[in-house]
Amino acid sequence: QFENLCFEEVSQAFHLQAGADAGDNLIRNCRFANAVTVPALQVQVESSGNQLLANWFSSTTSSLGSRAIYLLEEGNVVAMNAISGPYQFALQVGTGAGTTEVTRVDHNSIRVTGGLAGGGISLLNASELCMRNNIVYGDGTSTGLSLQTVTFAADTSCGGDGTVANVNINHATQCSS
């Protein structure tokens, strides 16, 4: 478990790799703050069973960072995170084809800043996805949501409503595919 940690001026804080003993990590209540160092992949996840909960990502750099959260494996939970800054995409989910485990993206707040045509959420080859109650607020030049080959999970797999109640506003492009 990684809780209550502060990372300042780092381009990447965590890289949760795949492997026999990978997964089942908890990253909760951590702060990632960048004012000078451009963020690359601040949290990169390549294993399943991880939880990224209630973290705060803040970038005030003048350049477009890559990703605050880069999720490349199924069966993870990304919930209650606050992300603010100029990112190519603040959150990217790409679980791959043939996914069987549900990935949950719930109750995250994203604010795209900087006027650099950044993005909020990218879903690229994502399957079995429950995406609920997320807010993505743009800076007028941004893309809110990018969808490319996405399959949302059934309501029953999500434990109730599947993909509902997401808010995506104030972008030059609300949704692209």
PDB file of all heavy atoms in Angstrom, residues 124-149:
ATOM      1  N   LEU A 124      -8.901   3.883 -25.304  1.00  0.00           N
ATOM      2  CA  LEU A 124      -8.292   3.336 -26.502  1.00  0.00           C
ATOM      3  C   LEU A 124      -8.185   1.824 -26.354  1.00  0.00           C
ATOM      4  O   LEU A 124      -7.405   1.325 -25.532  1.00  0.00           O
ATOM      5  CB  LEU A 124      -6.897   3.958 -26.700  1.00  0.00           C
ATOM      6  CG  LEU A 124      -6.044   3.443 -27.843  1.00  0.00           C
ATOM      7  CD1 LEU A 124      -6.728   3.700 -29.178  1.00  0.00           C
ATOM      8  CD2 LEU A 124      -4.671   4.110 -27.812  1.00  0.00           C
ATOM      9  N   ASN A 125      -8.990   1.085 -27.119  1.00  0.00           N
ATOM     10  CA  ASN A 125      -9.036  -0.377 -27.003  1.00  0.00           C
ATOM     11  C   ASN A 125      -9.358  -0.790 -25.577  1.00  0.00           C
ATOM     12  O   ASN A 125      -8.651  -1.582 -24.968  1.00  0.00           O
ATOM     13  CB  ASN A 125      -7.717  -1.012 -27.466  1.00  0.00           C
ATOM     14  CG  ASN A 125      -7.436  -0.739 -28.921  1.00  0.00           C
ATOM     15  OD1 ASN A 125      -8.341  -0.756 -29.744  1.00  0.00           O
ATOM     16  ND2 ASN A 125      -6.189  -0.451 -29.239  1.00  0.00           N
ATOM     17  N   ALA A 126     -10.427  -0.248 -25.044  1.00  0.00           N
ATOM     18  CA  ALA A 126     -10.858  -0.536 -23.674  1.00  0.00           C
ATOM     19  C   ALA A 126     -12.104  -1.411 -23.707  1.00  0.00           C
ATOM     20  O   ALA A 126     -13.053  -1.117 -24.438  1.00  0.00           O
ATOM     21  CB  ALA A 126     -11.135   0.760 -22.921  1.00  0.00           C
ATOM     22  N   SER A 127     -12.103  -2.470 -22.906  1.00  0.00           N
ATOM     23  CA  SER A 127     -13.239  -3.394 -22.849  1.00  0.00           C
ATOM     24  C   SER A 127     -13.648  -3.615 -21.409  1.00  0.00           C
ATOM     25  O   SER A 127     -12.855  -3.447 -20.489  1.00  0.00           O
ATOM     26  CB  SER A 127     -12.848  -4.747 -23.460  1.00  0.00           C
ATOM     27  OG  SER A 127     -12.464  -4.612 -24.800  1.00  0.00           O
ATOM     28  N   GLU A 128     -14.918  -4.023 -21.234  1.00  0.00           N
ATOM     29  CA  GLU A 128     -15.476  -4.313 -19.911  1.00  0.00           C
ATOM     30  C   GLU A 128     -15.255  -3.137 -18.953  1.00  0.00           C
ATOM     31  O   GLU A 128     -14.718  -3.285 -17.865  1.00  0.00           O
ATOM     32  CB  GLU A 128     -14.902  -5.604 -19.325  1.00  0.00           C
ATOM     33  CG  GLU A 128     -15.414  -6.854 -19.988  1.00  0.00           C
ATOM     34  CD  GLU A 128     -16.937  -6.977 -19.908  1.00  0.00           C
ATOM     35  OE1 GLU A 128     -17.490  -6.953 -18.803  1.00  0.00           O
ATOM     36  OE2 GLU A 128     -17.566  -7.085 -20.973  1.00  0.00           O
ATOM     37  N   LEU A 129     -15.672  -1.976 -19.398  1.00  0.00           N
ATOM     38  CA  LEU A 129     -15.428  -0.739 -18.666  1.00  0.00           C
ATOM     39  C   LEU A 129     -16.709  -0.221 -18.025  1.00  0.00           C
ATOM     40  O   LEU A 129     -17.740  -0.107 -18.683  1.00  0.00           O
ATOM     41  CB  LEU A 129     -14.867   0.306 -19.628  1.00  0.00           C
ATOM     42  CG  LEU A 129     -14.514   1.668 -19.068  1.00  0.00           C
ATOM     43  CD1 LEU A 129     -13.374   1.549 -18.059  1.00  0.00           C
ATOM     44  CD2 LEU A 129     -14.104   2.599 -20.200  1.00  0.00           C
ATOM     45  N   CYS A 130     -16.653   0.067 -16.733  1.00  0.00           N
ATOM     46  CA  CYS A 130     -17.717   0.763 -16.012  1.00  0.00           C
ATOM     47  C   CYS A 130     -17.209   2.186 -15.790  1.00  0.00           C
ATOM     48  O   CYS A 130     -16.205   2.378 -15.114  1.00  0.00           O
ATOM     49  CB  CYS A 130     -17.991   0.114 -14.655  1.00  0.00           C
ATOM     50  SG  CYS A 130     -18.544  -1.579 -14.747  1.00  0.00           S
ATOM     51  N   MET A 131     -17.896   3.138 -16.352  1.00  0.00           N
ATOM     52  CA  MET A 131     -17.448   4.526 -16.255  1.00  0.00           C
ATOM     53  C   MET A 131     -18.611   5.374 -15.767  1.00  0.00           C
ATOM     54  O   MET A 131     -19.562   5.620 -16.502  1.00  0.00           O
ATOM     55  CB  MET A 131     -16.965   5.003 -17.628  1.00  0.00           C
ATOM     56  CG  MET A 131     -16.271   6.321 -17.592  1.00  0.00           C
ATOM     57  SD  MET A 131     -15.479   6.635 -19.160  1.00  0.00           S
ATOM     58  CE  MET A 131     -15.702   8.396 -19.224  1.00  0.00           C
ATOM     59  N   ARG A 132     -18.535   5.797 -14.496  1.00  0.00           N
ATOM     60  CA  ARG A 132     -19.673   6.468 -13.883  1.00  0.00           C
ATOM     61  C   ARG A 132     -19.250   7.710 -13.109  1.00  0.00           C
ATOM     62  O   ARG A 132     -18.207   7.740 -12.460  1.00  0.00           O
ATOM     63  CB  ARG A 132     -20.376   5.516 -12.915  1.00  0.00           C
ATOM     64  CG  ARG A 132     -20.840   4.237 -13.555  1.00  0.00           C
ATOM     65  CD  ARG A 132     -21.464   3.316 -12.564  1.00  0.00           C
ATOM     66  NE  ARG A 132     -20.452   2.798 -11.652  1.00  0.00           N
ATOM     67  CZ  ARG A 132     -20.600   1.707 -10.940  1.00  0.00           C
ATOM     68  NH1 ARG A 132     -21.712   1.022 -11.002  1.00  0.00           N
ATOM     69  NH2 ARG A 132     -19.650   1.287 -10.142  1.00  0.00           N
ATOM     70  N   ASN A 133     -20.092   8.734 -13.189  1.00  0.00           N
ATOM     71  CA  ASN A 133     -19.988   9.909 -12.321  1.00  0.00           C
ATOM     72  C   ASN A 133     -18.643  10.632 -12.388  1.00  0.00           C
ATOM     73  O   ASN A 133     -18.134  11.086 -11.375  1.00  0.00           O
ATOM     74  CB  ASN A 133     -20.316   9.517 -10.874  1.00  0.00           C
ATOM     75  CG  ASN A 133     -21.677   8.885 -10.766  1.00  0.00           C
ATOM     76  OD1 ASN A 133     -22.671   9.471 -11.143  1.00  0.00           O
ATOM     77  ND2 ASN A 133     -21.713   7.653 -10.285  1.00  0.00           N
ATOM     78  N   ASN A 134     -18.067  10.719 -13.563  1.00  0.00           N
ATOM     79  CA  ASN A 134     -16.823  11.467 -13.765  1.00  0.00           C
ATOM     80  C   ASN A 134     -17.151  12.849 -14.302  1.00  0.00           C
ATOM     81  O   ASN A 134     -18.105  13.021 -15.057  1.00  0.00           O
ATOM     82  CB  ASN A 134     -15.920  10.726 -14.758  1.00  0.00           C
ATOM     83  CG  ASN A 134     -15.511   9.368 -14.240  1.00  0.00           C
ATOM     84  OD1 ASN A 134     -14.671   9.270 -13.361  1.00  0.00           O
ATOM     85  ND2 ASN A 134     -16.113   8.313 -14.766  1.00  0.00           N
ATOM     86  N   ILE A 135     -16.350  13.824 -13.917  1.00  0.00           N
ATOM     87  CA  ILE A 135     -16.506  15.187 -14.425  1.00  0.00           C
ATOM     88  C   ILE A 135     -15.224  15.556 -15.168  1.00  0.00           C
ATOM     89  O   ILE A 135     -14.127  15.447 -14.609  1.00  0.00           O
ATOM     90  CB  ILE A 135     -16.732  16.190 -13.280  1.00  0.00           C
ATOM     91  CG1 ILE A 135     -18.024  15.869 -12.536  1.00  0.00           C
ATOM     92  CG2 ILE A 135     -16.759  17.617 -13.813  1.00  0.00           C
ATOM     93  CD1 ILE A 135     -18.221  16.682 -11.276  1.00  0.00           C
ATOM     94  N   VAL A 136     -15.370  15.979 -16.423  1.00  0.00           N
ATOM     95  CA  VAL A 136     -14.227  16.417 -17.227  1.00  0.00           C
ATOM     96  C   VAL A 136     -14.533  17.832 -17.710  1.00  0.00           C
ATOM     97  O   VAL A 136     -15.428  18.037 -18.536  1.00  0.00           O
ATOM     98  CB  VAL A 136     -13.965  15.474 -18.420  1.00  0.00           C
ATOM     99  CG1 VAL A 136     -12.733  15.923 -19.184  1.00  0.00           C
ATOM    100  CG2 VAL A 136     -13.819  14.030 -17.963  1.00  0.00           C
ATOM    101  N   TYR A 137     -13.802  18.812 -17.179  1.00  0.00           N
ATOM    102  CA  TYR A 137     -14.017  20.216 -17.516  1.00  0.00           C
ATOM    103  C   TYR A 137     -12.825  20.717 -18.324  1.00  0.00           C
ATOM    104  O   TYR A 137     -11.678  20.587 -17.902  1.00  0.00           O
ATOM    105  CB  TYR A 137     -14.185  21.050 -16.239  1.00  0.00           C
ATOM    106  CG  TYR A 137     -14.589  22.476 -16.517  1.00  0.00           C
ATOM    107  CD1 TYR A 137     -15.922  22.792 -16.710  1.00  0.00           C
ATOM    108  CD2 TYR A 137     -13.638  23.480 -16.606  1.00  0.00           C
ATOM    109  CE1 TYR A 137     -16.305  24.106 -16.979  1.00  0.00           C
ATOM    110  CE2 TYR A 137     -14.012  24.786 -16.876  1.00  0.00           C
ATOM    111  CZ  TYR A 137     -15.340  25.089 -17.062  1.00  0.00           C
ATOM    112  OH  TYR A 137     -15.713  26.380 -17.340  1.00  0.00           O
ATOM    113  N   GLY A 138     -13.096  21.287 -19.481  1.00  0.00           N
ATOM    114  CA  GLY A 138     -12.037  21.713 -20.377  1.00  0.00           C
ATOM    115  C   GLY A 138     -11.676  23.178 -20.271  1.00  0.00           C
ATOM    116  O   GLY A 138     -12.274  23.943 -19.514  1.00  0.00           O
ATOM    117  N   ASP A 139     -10.701  23.561 -21.094  1.00  0.00           N
ATOM    118  CA  ASP A 139     -10.224  24.943 -21.103  1.00  0.00           C
ATOM    119  C   ASP A 139     -10.624  25.682 -22.383  1.00  0.00           C
ATOM    120  O   ASP A 139     -10.090  26.739 -22.681  1.00  0.00           O
ATOM    121  CB  ASP A 139      -8.710  24.982 -20.912  1.00  0.00           C
ATOM    122  CG  ASP A 139      -7.943  24.322 -22.053  1.00  0.00           C
ATOM    123  OD1 ASP A 139      -8.564  23.882 -23.046  1.00  0.00           O
ATOM    124  OD2 ASP A 139      -6.707  24.236 -21.952  1.00  0.00           O
ATOM    125  N   GLY A 140     -11.549  25.104 -23.144  1.00  0.00           N
ATOM    126  CA  GLY A 140     -12.002  25.733 -24.382  1.00  0.00           C
ATOM    127  C   GLY A 140     -11.212  25.308 -25.601  1.00  0.00           C
ATOM    128  O   GLY A 140     -11.660  25.493 -26.726  1.00  0.00           O
ATOM    129  N   THR A 141     -10.008  24.742 -25.410  1.00  0.00           N
ATOM    130  CA  THR A 141      -9.209  24.252 -26.537  1.00  0.00           C
ATOM    131  C   THR A 141      -9.071  22.732 -26.515  1.00  0.00           C
ATOM    132  O   THR A 141      -8.515  22.140 -27.421  1.00  0.00           O
ATOM    133  CB  THR A 141      -7.776  24.848 -26.523  1.00  0.00           C
ATOM    134  OG1 THR A 141      -7.059  24.317 -25.410  1.00  0.00           O
ATOM    135  CG2 THR A 141      -7.806  26.360 -26.455  1.00  0.00           C
ATOM    136  N   SER A 142      -9.588  22.110 -25.483  1.00  0.00           N
ATOM    137  CA  SER A 142      -9.334  20.694 -25.208  1.00  0.00           C
ATOM    138  C   SER A 142     -10.325  19.751 -25.888  1.00  0.00           C
ATOM    139  O   SER A 142     -11.348  20.155 -26.424  1.00  0.00           O
ATOM    140  CB  SER A 142      -9.373  20.469 -23.697  1.00  0.00           C
ATOM    141  OG  SER A 142     -10.580  20.984 -23.166  1.00  0.00           O
ATOM    142  N   THR A 143      -9.991  18.458 -25.809  1.00  0.00           N
ATOM    143  CA  THR A 143     -10.888  17.363 -26.173  1.00  0.00           C
ATOM    144  C   THR A 143     -11.303  16.696 -24.872  1.00  0.00           C
ATOM    145  O   THR A 143     -10.450  16.282 -24.090  1.00  0.00           O
ATOM    146  CB  THR A 143     -10.177  16.336 -27.086  1.00  0.00           C
ATOM    147  OG1 THR A 143      -9.802  16.977 -28.302  1.00  0.00           O
ATOM    148  CG2 THR A 143     -11.080  15.146 -27.386  1.00  0.00           C
ATOM    149  N   GLY A 144     -12.582  16.575 -24.642  1.00  0.00           N
ATOM    150  CA  GLY A 144     -13.056  16.000 -23.386  1.00  0.00           C
ATOM    151  C   GLY A 144     -12.877  14.507 -23.310  1.00  0.00           C
ATOM    152  O   GLY A 144     -12.304  13.968 -22.370  1.00  0.00           O
ATOM    153  N   LEU A 145     -13.362  13.798 -24.334  1.00  0.00           N
ATOM    154  CA  LEU A 145     -13.364  12.346 -24.325  1.00  0.00           C
ATOM    155  C   LEU A 145     -12.989  11.841 -25.703  1.00  0.00           C
ATOM    156  O   LEU A 145     -13.559  12.270 -26.705  1.00  0.00           O
ATOM    157  CB  LEU A 145     -14.767  11.855 -23.935  1.00  0.00           C
ATOM    158  CG  LEU A 145     -15.010  10.384 -23.738  1.00  0.00           C
ATOM    159  CD1 LEU A 145     -14.134   9.825 -22.621  1.00  0.00           C
ATOM    160  CD2 LEU A 145     -16.484  10.151 -23.399  1.00  0.00           C
ATOM    161  N   SER A 146     -12.030  10.933 -25.748  1.00  0.00           N
ATOM    162  CA  SER A 146     -11.635  10.302 -26.996  1.00  0.00           C
ATOM    163  C   SER A 146     -11.961   8.816 -26.898  1.00  0.00           C
ATOM    164  O   SER A 146     -11.472   8.130 -26.004  1.00  0.00           O
ATOM    165  CB  SER A 146     -10.130  10.497 -27.241  1.00  0.00           C
ATOM    166  OG  SER A 146      -9.729   9.787 -28.391  1.00  0.00           O
ATOM    167  N   LEU A 147     -12.814   8.340 -27.812  1.00  0.00           N
ATOM    168  CA  LEU A 147     -13.250   6.942 -27.814  1.00  0.00           C
ATOM    169  C   LEU A 147     -12.743   6.236 -29.056  1.00  0.00           C
ATOM    170  O   LEU A 147     -13.050   6.655 -30.167  1.00  0.00           O
ATOM    171  CB  LEU A 147     -14.782   6.866 -27.805  1.00  0.00           C
ATOM    172  CG  LEU A 147     -15.513   7.578 -26.678  1.00  0.00           C
ATOM    173  CD1 LEU A 147     -17.001   7.611 -26.952  1.00  0.00           C
ATOM    174  CD2 LEU A 147     -15.232   6.898 -25.366  1.00  0.00           C
ATOM    175  N   GLN A 148     -11.987   5.165 -28.849  1.00  0.00           N
ATOM    176  CA  GLN A 148     -11.505   4.368 -29.971  1.00  0.00           C
ATOM    177  C   GLN A 148     -11.556   2.897 -29.575  1.00  0.00           C
ATOM    178  O   GLN A 148     -10.771   2.452 -28.749  1.00  0.00           O
ATOM    179  CB  GLN A 148     -10.088   4.770 -30.354  1.00  0.00           C
ATOM    180  CG  GLN A 148      -9.986   6.202 -30.841  1.00  0.00           C
ATOM    181  CD  GLN A 148      -8.565   6.595 -31.183  1.00  0.00           C
ATOM    182  OE1 GLN A 148      -7.743   5.769 -31.506  1.00  0.00           O
ATOM    183  NE2 GLN A 148      -8.274   7.876 -31.095  1.00  0.00           N
ATOM    184  N   THR A 149     -12.502   2.166 -30.141  1.00  0.00           N
ATOM    185  CA  THR A 149     -12.723   0.744 -29.874  1.00  0.00           C
ATOM    186  C   THR A 149     -12.974   0.515 -28.384  1.00  0.00           C
ATOM    187  O   THR A 149     -12.112   0.053 -27.643  1.00  0.00           O
ATOM    188  CB  THR A 149     -11.539  -0.112 -30.370  1.00  0.00           C
ATOM    189  OG1 THR A 149     -11.163   0.308 -31.670  1.00  0.00           O
ATOM    190  CG2 THR A 149     -11.925  -1.588 -30.403  1.00  0.00           C
TER     191      THR A 149
END
